[in-house]
Amino acid sequence: MASVSNSGVSIKPIVIANWKMHSSRRESRNFANNFYSLVSENKKLACDIVICPPVTLISELRDVLYESAISLGGQDNHYEVSGPYTGDISATMLVDVGCSYVIIGHSENRREGDTNQLIKKKINFALNQKLNIIFCIGETLAEKIKHKTFLILRNQIKNTIQKKYDLNKIIIAYEPIWSIGTGKIPKAPELKKTFKFIKNEFKKNFKTKTLPVVLYGGSVNGSNIVLFSSISEIDGFLIGGASKSSKKFIDIIKNYYK
Ligand code: PGA
């Protein structure tokens, strides 16, 4: 189920695990060992896979997965190389530990105070460090009810992404906030419209020849993922809760991208 960009180029779908603040060293080592054998059994997986664990677990996963095609990502980054920023992790440090991706702008970080301005600085710096960006956007339930979804998404894109960026390194993850961890997912026709809107908005604003890669995130699991199959605009998924078990996660991928 490869997507096709506007230029006719086939894009490999991408499935990303967002572990948030979960898991221990022992659990992640078990995950990595299982996942490595499950992926090796399925050499023809038709999608790219990225795992974004807490920073403390990146090297555990890297030690097991470094020979596989699975990539690692951070869940956020600071916008300077180093400095007096207690508790923060710089994009340079993520690269140093083996990451090639980073999630930026997740609604859980926006909730803790990340503004579009701050997110822009984080993206800018992460791109300088040659990381691929998983840029999260999405509306709250109240905004959806007031029919403000497109307005919110437009603002999040326009006030954060700049024309000068290497846009090929930016993946958008559309995650309606009301859907994250709630078991609720948008209806297919509505989601299709939103995906078209995001792709066109990106193209119009940044005068790109190709459409961006856009993922869906929010309560995706093995039972409901089939509901997304009618939406050809979806280029992959950002999965939270259902990505913590290696078996569940690989089954979702295998069943969807047959
Ligand atoms: P969820 O989380 O799959 O648990 O809803 C997705 C996310 O927050 O990225």
Side-chain angles (χ1 to χ4, degrees), residues 16 18 20 103 106-108 136 175 179-183 217-221 238-243:
I16 302 174
N18 175 12
K20 310 191 181 189
I103 298 173
H106 194 283
S107 57
E108 286 153 12
C136 299
E175 299 205 305
S179 172
I180 297 176
T182 59
S219 293
V220 176
N221 62 36
L238 177 55
I239 304 180
S243 70

